[in-house]
Short mmCIF file of all heavy atoms in Angstrom, two decimals:
data_model
loop_
_atom_site.label_atom_id
_atom_site.label_comp_id
_atom_site.label_asym_id
_atom_site.label_seq_id
_atom_site.Cartn_x
_atom_site.Cartn_y
_atom_site.Cartn_z
N LYS A 9 -22.10 11.07 3.63
CA LYS A 9 -21.77 12.29 2.91
C LYS A 9 -22.93 12.61 1.96
O LYS A 9 -23.79 11.76 1.74
CB LYS A 9 -20.50 12.06 2.08
CG LYS A 9 -19.24 12.03 2.91
CD LYS A 9 -18.07 11.92 1.97
CE LYS A 9 -16.83 12.54 2.53
NZ LYS A 9 -15.81 12.63 1.49
N ALA A 13 -22.08 8.68 -0.17
CA ALA A 13 -20.80 8.02 0.07
C ALA A 13 -20.65 7.71 1.54
O ALA A 13 -21.15 8.44 2.39
CB ALA A 13 -19.66 8.93 -0.38
N GLN A 14 -19.96 6.59 1.85
CA GLN A 14 -19.78 6.20 3.24
C GLN A 14 -18.30 6.25 3.61
O GLN A 14 -17.47 5.68 2.92
CB GLN A 14 -20.28 4.77 3.43
CG GLN A 14 -21.79 4.66 3.29
CD GLN A 14 -22.24 3.27 3.65
OE1 GLN A 14 -21.79 2.29 3.08
NE2 GLN A 14 -23.14 3.17 4.62
N VAL A 15 -18.01 6.92 4.72
CA VAL A 15 -16.63 6.97 5.21
C VAL A 15 -16.48 5.95 6.35
O VAL A 15 -17.46 5.52 6.95
CB VAL A 15 -16.22 8.38 5.70
CG1 VAL A 15 -16.39 9.41 4.61
CG2 VAL A 15 -17.03 8.78 6.93
N THR A 17 -15.93 2.81 6.58
CA THR A 17 -16.38 1.42 6.53
C THR A 17 -15.16 0.51 6.70
O THR A 17 -14.02 0.93 6.52
CB THR A 17 -17.04 1.09 5.17
OG1 THR A 17 -16.06 1.26 4.15
CG2 THR A 17 -18.21 2.01 4.90
N ARG A 19 -14.13 -1.78 4.80
CA ARG A 19 -13.41 -1.89 3.53
C ARG A 19 -12.52 -0.67 3.29
O ARG A 19 -11.39 -0.79 2.83
CB ARG A 19 -14.46 -2.03 2.42
CG ARG A 19 -13.92 -2.47 1.12
CD ARG A 19 -14.92 -3.31 0.37
NE ARG A 19 -15.98 -2.50 -0.23
CZ ARG A 19 -16.72 -2.93 -1.25
NH1 ARG A 19 -16.49 -4.11 -1.79
NH2 ARG A 19 -17.68 -2.19 -1.73
N VAL A 20 -13.04 0.52 3.63
CA VAL A 20 -12.27 1.74 3.42
C VAL A 20 -11.07 1.78 4.39
O VAL A 20 -9.98 2.22 4.03
CB VAL A 20 -13.17 2.99 3.59
CG1 VAL A 20 -12.35 4.26 3.71
CG2 VAL A 20 -14.16 3.10 2.43
N ALA A 23 -8.36 -0.62 3.26
CA ALA A 23 -7.77 -0.29 1.96
C ALA A 23 -6.53 0.60 2.10
O ALA A 23 -5.59 0.47 1.32
CB ALA A 23 -8.80 0.39 1.06
N LEU A 24 -6.52 1.50 3.08
CA LEU A 24 -5.35 2.39 3.20
C LEU A 24 -4.05 1.58 3.34
O LEU A 24 -3.11 1.79 2.58
CB LEU A 24 -5.51 3.38 4.36
CG LEU A 24 -4.24 4.24 4.55
CD1 LEU A 24 -4.22 5.44 3.62
CD2 LEU A 24 -4.05 4.68 5.99
N GLN A 26 -3.44 -1.31 2.32
CA GLN A 26 -3.16 -2.01 1.06
C GLN A 26 -2.33 -1.14 0.12
O GLN A 26 -1.51 -1.63 -0.64
CB GLN A 26 -4.46 -2.45 0.38
CG GLN A 26 -5.11 -3.63 1.07
CD GLN A 26 -6.39 -4.06 0.38
OE1 GLN A 26 -7.44 -3.44 0.54
NE2 GLN A 26 -6.31 -5.11 -0.42
N MET A 27 -2.59 0.18 0.17
CA MET A 27 -1.85 1.09 -0.70
C MET A 27 -0.42 1.32 -0.20
O MET A 27 0.41 1.88 -0.91
CB MET A 27 -2.58 2.44 -0.81
CG MET A 27 -4.00 2.33 -1.32
SD MET A 27 -4.10 1.32 -2.81
CE MET A 27 -5.67 0.49 -2.57
N LEU A 28 -0.13 0.91 1.03
CA LEU A 28 1.21 1.12 1.59
C LEU A 28 2.12 -0.08 1.35
O LEU A 28 3.32 -0.04 1.64
CB LEU A 28 1.11 1.38 3.10
CG LEU A 28 0.21 2.54 3.53
CD1 LEU A 28 0.14 2.63 5.04
CD2 LEU A 28 0.74 3.85 2.94
N LYS A 29 1.54 -1.16 0.81
CA LYS A 29 2.30 -2.41 0.65
C LYS A 29 3.57 -2.19 -0.19
O LYS A 29 3.60 -1.35 -1.07
CB LYS A 29 1.41 -3.47 0.01
CG LYS A 29 0.43 -4.06 1.01
CD LYS A 29 -0.70 -4.80 0.35
CE LYS A 29 -0.23 -5.98 -0.45
NZ LYS A 29 -1.36 -6.76 -0.98
N GLY A 30 4.56 -3.02 0.11
CA GLY A 30 5.82 -2.92 -0.62
C GLY A 30 6.60 -1.67 -0.24
O GLY A 30 7.58 -1.32 -0.89
N GLY A 31 6.17 -0.97 0.81
CA GLY A 31 6.81 0.28 1.18
C GLY A 31 7.39 0.24 2.58
O GLY A 31 7.29 -0.74 3.30
N GLU A 46 10.24 11.45 3.79
CA GLU A 46 9.50 11.58 2.52
C GLU A 46 10.47 11.65 1.35
O GLU A 46 10.26 11.00 0.31
CB GLU A 46 8.64 12.84 2.56
CG GLU A 46 7.84 13.06 1.28
CD GLU A 46 6.89 14.24 1.39
OE1 GLU A 46 7.35 15.37 1.67
OE2 GLU A 46 5.69 14.05 1.21
N GLU A 47 11.54 12.41 1.52
CA GLU A 47 12.55 12.56 0.47
C GLU A 47 13.18 11.21 0.11
O GLU A 47 13.53 10.95 -1.04
CB GLU A 47 13.63 13.55 0.96
CG GLU A 47 14.78 13.82 0.01
CD GLU A 47 14.30 14.40 -1.32
OE1 GLU A 47 13.29 15.12 -1.31
OE2 GLU A 47 14.95 14.11 -2.35
N GLY A 49 11.72 8.38 0.08
CA GLY A 49 10.78 7.47 -0.58
C GLY A 49 9.90 6.67 0.38
O GLY A 49 9.24 5.72 -0.04
N ALA A 50 9.87 7.04 1.66
CA ALA A 50 8.97 6.37 2.61
C ALA A 50 7.54 6.46 2.10
O ALA A 50 7.15 7.47 1.50
CB ALA A 50 9.07 7.03 3.98
N CYS A 51 6.72 5.42 2.32
CA CYS A 51 5.33 5.47 1.87
C CYS A 51 4.43 6.06 2.95
O CYS A 51 3.26 6.34 2.70
CB CYS A 51 4.84 4.08 1.45
SG CYS A 51 4.75 2.93 2.81
N SER A 86 3.35 15.23 2.21
CA SER A 86 2.12 14.87 1.50
C SER A 86 1.83 13.37 1.62
O SER A 86 0.77 12.91 1.22
CB SER A 86 2.22 15.28 0.03
OG SER A 86 3.17 14.48 -0.64
N ILE A 87 2.77 12.59 2.17
CA ILE A 87 2.52 11.16 2.37
C ILE A 87 1.68 10.95 3.64
O ILE A 87 1.57 11.86 4.46
CB ILE A 87 3.85 10.36 2.46
CG1 ILE A 87 4.75 10.89 3.58
CG2 ILE A 87 4.59 10.40 1.13
CD1 ILE A 87 6.06 10.12 3.74
N PRO A 88 1.06 9.76 3.79
CA PRO A 88 0.23 9.53 4.98
C PRO A 88 1.03 9.65 6.28
O PRO A 88 2.21 9.31 6.32
CB PRO A 88 -0.25 8.09 4.79
CG PRO A 88 -0.14 7.83 3.33
CD PRO A 88 1.02 8.64 2.85
N GLU A 105 -7.26 11.03 15.98
CA GLU A 105 -8.21 11.04 14.86
C GLU A 105 -8.65 12.47 14.55
O GLU A 105 -8.73 12.86 13.38
CB GLU A 105 -9.42 10.17 15.17
CG GLU A 105 -10.42 10.15 14.03
CD GLU A 105 -11.47 9.05 14.17
OE1 GLU A 105 -12.35 9.18 15.05
OE2 GLU A 105 -11.41 8.08 13.42
N SER A 106 -8.89 13.25 15.59
CA SER A 106 -9.37 14.62 15.35
C SER A 106 -8.27 15.49 14.72
O SER A 106 -8.57 16.47 14.05
CB SER A 106 -9.87 15.26 16.65
OG SER A 106 -8.78 15.74 17.41
N GLY A 108 -6.43 14.54 12.36
CA GLY A 108 -6.37 14.21 10.93
C GLY A 108 -5.23 13.27 10.57
O GLY A 108 -4.79 13.23 9.42
N ASP A 110 -3.71 9.68 9.49
CA ASP A 110 -4.32 8.73 8.55
C ASP A 110 -4.50 7.35 9.17
O ASP A 110 -5.30 6.55 8.67
CB ASP A 110 -3.47 8.64 7.29
CG ASP A 110 -3.45 9.96 6.54
OD1 ASP A 110 -4.51 10.36 6.04
OD2 ASP A 110 -2.39 10.61 6.48
N THR A 133 -13.26 6.04 12.71
CA THR A 133 -13.37 6.22 11.26
C THR A 133 -12.06 5.85 10.57
O THR A 133 -12.06 5.42 9.42
CB THR A 133 -13.73 7.69 10.93
OG1 THR A 133 -14.92 8.02 11.63
CG2 THR A 133 -13.96 7.88 9.45
N ILE A 134 -10.92 6.06 11.25
CA ILE A 134 -9.63 5.78 10.61
C ILE A 134 -9.10 4.41 11.05
O ILE A 134 -9.50 3.88 12.09
CB ILE A 134 -8.59 6.89 10.91
CG1 ILE A 134 -8.35 7.03 12.41
CG2 ILE A 134 -9.04 8.21 10.30
CD1 ILE A 134 -7.22 7.99 12.73
N PRO A 135 -8.21 3.84 10.23
CA PRO A 135 -7.70 2.50 10.54
C PRO A 135 -6.68 2.51 11.68
O PRO A 135 -6.06 3.53 11.97
CB PRO A 135 -7.03 2.07 9.23
CG PRO A 135 -6.73 3.33 8.50
CD PRO A 135 -7.75 4.34 8.93
N THR A 267 11.77 -2.92 -2.05
CA THR A 267 11.24 -3.20 -3.39
C THR A 267 12.00 -4.34 -4.06
O THR A 267 11.42 -5.26 -4.63
CB THR A 267 11.32 -1.94 -4.27
OG1 THR A 267 10.43 -0.96 -3.73
CG2 THR A 267 10.92 -2.24 -5.72
N TYR A 268 13.34 -4.30 -3.97
CA TYR A 268 14.18 -5.29 -4.66
C TYR A 268 14.64 -6.37 -3.68
O TYR A 268 15.79 -6.78 -3.69
CB TYR A 268 15.36 -4.59 -5.33
CG TYR A 268 14.92 -3.64 -6.42
CD1 TYR A 268 14.78 -2.28 -6.17
CD2 TYR A 268 14.59 -4.13 -7.68
CE1 TYR A 268 14.33 -1.42 -7.16
CE2 TYR A 268 14.14 -3.27 -8.68
CZ TYR A 268 14.02 -1.91 -8.41
OH TYR A 268 13.57 -1.07 -9.39
N ASP A 271 16.56 -9.52 -4.92
CA ASP A 271 17.57 -9.23 -5.92
C ASP A 271 18.91 -8.92 -5.24
O ASP A 271 19.23 -7.75 -4.98
CB ASP A 271 17.07 -8.01 -6.73
CG ASP A 271 17.79 -7.86 -8.04
OD1 ASP A 271 18.97 -8.27 -8.12
OD2 ASP A 271 17.17 -7.30 -8.97
N ALA B 10 5.64 -2.76 -9.97
CA ALA B 10 5.72 -3.35 -8.63
C ALA B 10 6.77 -2.66 -7.77
O ALA B 10 7.44 -3.29 -6.97
CB ALA B 10 5.99 -4.85 -8.74
N LEU B 11 6.90 -1.35 -7.94
CA LEU B 11 7.87 -0.62 -7.10
C LEU B 11 7.32 -0.44 -5.69
O LEU B 11 8.03 -0.54 -4.71
CB LEU B 11 8.18 0.75 -7.74
CG LEU B 11 8.85 0.67 -9.11
CD1 LEU B 11 9.01 2.06 -9.72
CD2 LEU B 11 10.21 -0.02 -9.01
N GLN B 12 6.03 -0.16 -5.59
CA GLN B 12 5.34 0.00 -4.31
C GLN B 12 3.85 0.10 -4.59
O GLN B 12 3.46 0.63 -5.61
CB GLN B 12 5.83 1.27 -3.57
CG GLN B 12 5.38 1.42 -2.12
CD GLN B 12 4.05 2.16 -2.00
OE1 GLN B 12 3.81 3.13 -2.70
NE2 GLN B 12 3.17 1.68 -1.13
N GLY B 13 3.03 -0.43 -3.67
CA GLY B 13 1.59 -0.28 -3.83
C GLY B 13 0.87 -1.61 -3.88
O GLY B 13 1.44 -2.65 -3.56
N ASP B 14 -0.42 -1.57 -4.29
CA ASP B 14 -1.22 -2.80 -4.24
C ASP B 14 -1.19 -3.54 -5.57
O ASP B 14 -2.21 -3.85 -6.16
CB ASP B 14 -2.65 -2.50 -3.76
CG ASP B 14 -3.49 -1.74 -4.76
OD1 ASP B 14 -2.91 -1.02 -5.61
OD2 ASP B 14 -4.72 -1.84 -4.71
N GLU B 17 -3.01 -7.08 -5.83
CA GLU B 17 -4.46 -7.05 -6.00
C GLU B 17 -4.82 -6.92 -7.48
O GLU B 17 -5.75 -7.56 -7.97
CB GLU B 17 -5.05 -5.88 -5.19
CG GLU B 17 -5.13 -6.12 -3.68
CD GLU B 17 -3.81 -5.94 -2.93
OE1 GLU B 17 -2.75 -5.83 -3.57
OE2 GLU B 17 -3.85 -5.92 -1.67
N ARG B 33 9.71 -4.58 -12.02
CA ARG B 33 10.63 -3.83 -11.15
C ARG B 33 11.81 -3.31 -11.94
O ARG B 33 12.56 -2.46 -11.48
CB ARG B 33 11.12 -4.72 -10.01
CG ARG B 33 10.06 -5.06 -9.00
CD ARG B 33 10.64 -5.74 -7.78
NE ARG B 33 9.60 -6.04 -6.79
CZ ARG B 33 8.80 -7.09 -6.86
NH1 ARG B 33 8.92 -7.96 -7.84
NH2 ARG B 33 7.88 -7.29 -5.93
N HIS B 34 12.03 -3.90 -13.12
CA HIS B 34 13.14 -3.47 -13.98
C HIS B 34 12.57 -3.06 -15.33
O HIS B 34 11.69 -3.74 -15.86
CB HIS B 34 14.14 -4.62 -14.17
CG HIS B 34 14.82 -5.01 -12.90
ND1 HIS B 34 15.86 -4.28 -12.36
CD2 HIS B 34 14.59 -6.04 -12.04
CE1 HIS B 34 16.25 -4.86 -11.23
NE2 HIS B 34 15.50 -5.92 -11.01
N GLY B 48 -2.39 1.35 -7.26
CA GLY B 48 -2.51 2.34 -6.20
C GLY B 48 -1.26 2.27 -5.33
O GLY B 48 -0.61 1.24 -5.24
N GLY B 49 -0.94 3.39 -4.69
CA GLY B 49 0.25 3.45 -3.86
C GLY B 49 0.53 4.89 -3.53
O GLY B 49 -0.36 5.74 -3.63
N GLU B 50 1.76 5.20 -3.15
CA GLU B 50 2.10 6.56 -2.78
C GLU B 50 2.82 7.22 -3.94
O GLU B 50 3.90 6.78 -4.33
CB GLU B 50 3.00 6.48 -1.53
CG GLU B 50 2.93 7.63 -0.59
CD GLU B 50 1.75 8.57 -0.72
OE1 GLU B 50 0.65 8.21 -0.28
OE2 GLU B 50 1.93 9.68 -1.25
N THR B 52 4.37 10.01 -4.19
CA THR B 52 5.67 10.58 -3.83
C THR B 52 6.75 9.49 -3.87
O THR B 52 7.87 9.71 -4.35
CB THR B 52 5.63 11.20 -2.42
OG1 THR B 52 4.52 12.10 -2.36
CG2 THR B 52 6.90 11.97 -2.12
N THR B 53 6.41 8.31 -3.38
CA THR B 53 7.37 7.20 -3.36
C THR B 53 7.79 6.82 -4.79
O THR B 53 8.98 6.65 -5.06
CB THR B 53 6.75 5.98 -2.63
OG1 THR B 53 6.41 6.38 -1.31
CG2 THR B 53 7.72 4.82 -2.59
N LYS B 56 10.13 9.31 -6.17
CA LYS B 56 11.50 9.19 -5.65
C LYS B 56 12.24 8.05 -6.35
O LYS B 56 13.45 8.14 -6.58
CB LYS B 56 11.49 8.96 -4.13
CG LYS B 56 10.90 10.14 -3.35
CD LYS B 56 11.65 11.44 -3.63
CE LYS B 56 10.91 12.63 -3.07
NZ LYS B 56 11.50 13.92 -3.49
N PHE B 57 11.53 6.99 -6.70
CA PHE B 57 12.16 5.92 -7.49
C PHE B 57 12.59 6.48 -8.85
O PHE B 57 13.68 6.21 -9.33
CB PHE B 57 11.20 4.74 -7.68
CG PHE B 57 11.32 3.70 -6.60
CD1 PHE B 57 10.41 3.65 -5.56
CD2 PHE B 57 12.35 2.77 -6.62
CE1 PHE B 57 10.53 2.71 -4.55
CE2 PHE B 57 12.48 1.80 -5.63
CZ PHE B 57 11.57 1.78 -4.59
N ALA B 60 15.63 8.50 -8.37
CA ALA B 60 16.79 7.66 -8.06
C ALA B 60 17.35 7.01 -9.32
O ALA B 60 18.54 6.73 -9.40
CB ALA B 60 16.40 6.60 -7.04
N PHE B 61 16.48 6.77 -10.32
CA PHE B 61 16.95 6.18 -11.57
C PHE B 61 17.10 7.25 -12.66
O PHE B 61 16.95 6.97 -13.85
CB PHE B 61 16.00 5.07 -12.03
CG PHE B 61 16.00 3.88 -11.10
CD1 PHE B 61 14.93 3.61 -10.27
CD2 PHE B 61 17.11 3.02 -11.05
CE1 PHE B 61 14.94 2.52 -9.40
CE2 PHE B 61 17.13 1.92 -10.19
CZ PHE B 61 16.04 1.68 -9.36
N ARG B 110 -3.95 16.27 -6.40
CA ARG B 110 -3.55 15.17 -5.51
C ARG B 110 -4.28 15.23 -4.17
O ARG B 110 -4.55 16.30 -3.65
CB ARG B 110 -2.04 15.25 -5.21
CG ARG B 110 -1.20 14.52 -6.20
CD ARG B 110 0.23 14.40 -5.66
NE ARG B 110 0.25 13.71 -4.37
CZ ARG B 110 1.35 13.54 -3.63
NH1 ARG B 110 2.50 14.03 -4.03
NH2 ARG B 110 1.28 12.90 -2.49
N PRO B 115 -7.38 13.93 4.47
CA PRO B 115 -6.78 12.74 5.09
C PRO B 115 -7.70 11.52 5.03
O PRO B 115 -8.84 11.60 4.57
CB PRO B 115 -6.54 13.18 6.54
CG PRO B 115 -7.52 14.27 6.78
CD PRO B 115 -7.70 14.96 5.46
N GLN B 116 -7.20 10.40 5.57
CA GLN B 116 -7.92 9.13 5.48
C GLN B 116 -9.34 9.18 6.03
O GLN B 116 -10.22 8.47 5.54
CB GLN B 116 -7.10 8.04 6.18
CG GLN B 116 -7.79 6.70 6.36
CD GLN B 116 -8.10 5.99 5.07
OE1 GLN B 116 -7.59 6.34 4.00
NE2 GLN B 116 -8.96 4.97 5.13
N ARG B 117 -9.60 10.01 7.04
CA ARG B 117 -10.96 10.03 7.60
C ARG B 117 -11.99 10.46 6.56
O ARG B 117 -13.19 10.21 6.71
CB ARG B 117 -11.04 10.91 8.85
CG ARG B 117 -10.83 12.37 8.58
CD ARG B 117 -10.89 13.19 9.87
NE ARG B 117 -10.60 14.58 9.57
CZ ARG B 117 -10.12 15.44 10.45
NH1 ARG B 117 -9.87 15.07 11.68
NH2 ARG B 117 -9.88 16.69 10.10
N ALA B 118 -11.53 11.11 5.46
CA ALA B 118 -12.46 11.51 4.39
C ALA B 118 -12.51 10.48 3.25
O ALA B 118 -13.26 10.64 2.30
CB ALA B 118 -12.06 12.87 3.83
N SER B 119 -11.69 9.43 3.33
CA SER B 119 -11.75 8.37 2.31
C SER B 119 -13.12 7.70 2.39
O SER B 119 -13.71 7.61 3.45
CB SER B 119 -10.65 7.34 2.54
OG SER B 119 -9.38 7.92 2.33
N PHE B 120 -13.63 7.21 1.25
CA PHE B 120 -15.02 6.73 1.24
C PHE B 120 -15.26 5.69 0.17
O PHE B 120 -14.43 5.50 -0.72
CB PHE B 120 -15.97 7.91 1.03
CG PHE B 120 -15.76 8.62 -0.30
CD1 PHE B 120 -16.54 8.32 -1.40
CD2 PHE B 120 -14.75 9.58 -0.43
CE1 PHE B 120 -16.34 8.96 -2.62
CE2 PHE B 120 -14.55 10.23 -1.66
CZ PHE B 120 -15.35 9.92 -2.75
N GLU B 121 -16.39 5.00 0.30
CA GLU B 121 -16.85 4.16 -0.80
C GLU B 121 -18.23 4.60 -1.22
O GLU B 121 -19.01 5.12 -0.41
CB GLU B 121 -16.83 2.68 -0.42
CG GLU B 121 -17.68 2.27 0.75
CD GLU B 121 -17.63 0.76 0.97
OE1 GLU B 121 -18.06 0.03 0.06
OE2 GLU B 121 -17.17 0.31 2.04
N THR B 122 -18.54 4.39 -2.50
CA THR B 122 -19.84 4.80 -3.02
C THR B 122 -20.15 3.96 -4.25
O THR B 122 -19.31 3.22 -4.74
CB THR B 122 -19.83 6.31 -3.36
OG1 THR B 122 -21.17 6.73 -3.64
CG2 THR B 122 -18.96 6.62 -4.56
N PRO B 135 -19.07 -0.56 -7.40
CA PRO B 135 -18.65 -0.23 -6.03
C PRO B 135 -17.27 0.43 -6.05
O PRO B 135 -16.26 -0.24 -6.24
CB PRO B 135 -18.59 -1.59 -5.33
CG PRO B 135 -18.32 -2.57 -6.43
CD PRO B 135 -18.96 -2.00 -7.67
N ILE B 137 -14.14 2.56 -4.44
CA ILE B 137 -13.50 2.88 -3.16
C ILE B 137 -12.42 3.93 -3.41
O ILE B 137 -11.50 3.72 -4.21
CB ILE B 137 -12.90 1.61 -2.53
CG1 ILE B 137 -13.99 0.55 -2.37
CG2 ILE B 137 -12.25 1.93 -1.18
CD1 ILE B 137 -13.48 -0.79 -1.90
N ILE B 139 -9.45 6.15 -1.79
CA ILE B 139 -8.55 6.19 -0.64
C ILE B 139 -7.57 7.35 -0.81
O ILE B 139 -6.70 7.30 -1.69
CB ILE B 139 -7.77 4.85 -0.50
CG1 ILE B 139 -8.75 3.68 -0.38
CG2 ILE B 139 -6.82 4.91 0.70
CD1 ILE B 139 -9.65 3.72 0.83
N ARG B 140 -7.70 8.39 0.01
CA ARG B 140 -6.86 9.58 -0.13
C ARG B 140 -6.74 9.91 -1.62
O ARG B 140 -5.65 10.16 -2.14
CB ARG B 140 -5.48 9.34 0.50
CG ARG B 140 -5.48 9.36 2.04
CD ARG B 140 -4.15 8.91 2.63
NE ARG B 140 -3.01 9.52 1.98
CZ ARG B 140 -2.38 10.62 2.41
NH1 ARG B 140 -2.77 11.22 3.51
NH2 ARG B 140 -1.37 11.11 1.75
N HIS B 175 -10.43 2.36 -6.71
CA HIS B 175 -9.67 1.10 -6.69
C HIS B 175 -10.52 -0.13 -6.99
O HIS B 175 -10.90 -0.86 -6.06
CB HIS B 175 -9.03 0.92 -5.32
CG HIS B 175 -7.99 1.93 -4.99
ND1 HIS B 175 -6.71 1.88 -5.49
CD2 HIS B 175 -8.02 3.02 -4.19
CE1 HIS B 175 -6.00 2.89 -5.04
NE2 HIS B 175 -6.78 3.61 -4.24
N ILE B 178 -9.54 -3.76 -5.36
CA ILE B 178 -9.79 -4.27 -4.00
C ILE B 178 -11.26 -4.63 -3.81
O ILE B 178 -11.74 -4.80 -2.70
CB ILE B 178 -9.32 -3.27 -2.92
CG1 ILE B 178 -9.94 -1.89 -3.10
CG2 ILE B 178 -7.80 -3.14 -2.94
CD1 ILE B 178 -9.57 -0.91 -1.99
#
Side-chain angles (χ1 to χ4, degrees):
Chain A
K9 286 185 152 191
Q14 292 187 304
V15 302
T17 62
R19 194 148 76 158
V20 167
L24 175 84
Q26 285 181 282
M27 303 311 144
L28 304 177
K29 283 164 62 175
E46 180 175 57
E47 179 60 31
C51 66
S86 69
I87 57 178
E105 180 167 72
S106 81
D110 296 294
T133 305
I134 60 173
T267 294
Y268 296 97
D271 197 331
Chain B
L11 297 175
Q12 190 270 319
D14 70 335
E17 284 79 348
R33 290 190 179 82
H34 295 282
E50 210 16 77
T52 308
T53 301
K56 297 302 169 189
F57 269 100
F61 294 108
R110 271 193 58 184
Q116 171 64 15
R117 67 181 176 205
S119 294
F120 62 97
E121 59 177 298
T122 190
I137 304 174
I139 303 298
R140 285 171 46 95
H175 294 282
I178 56 176

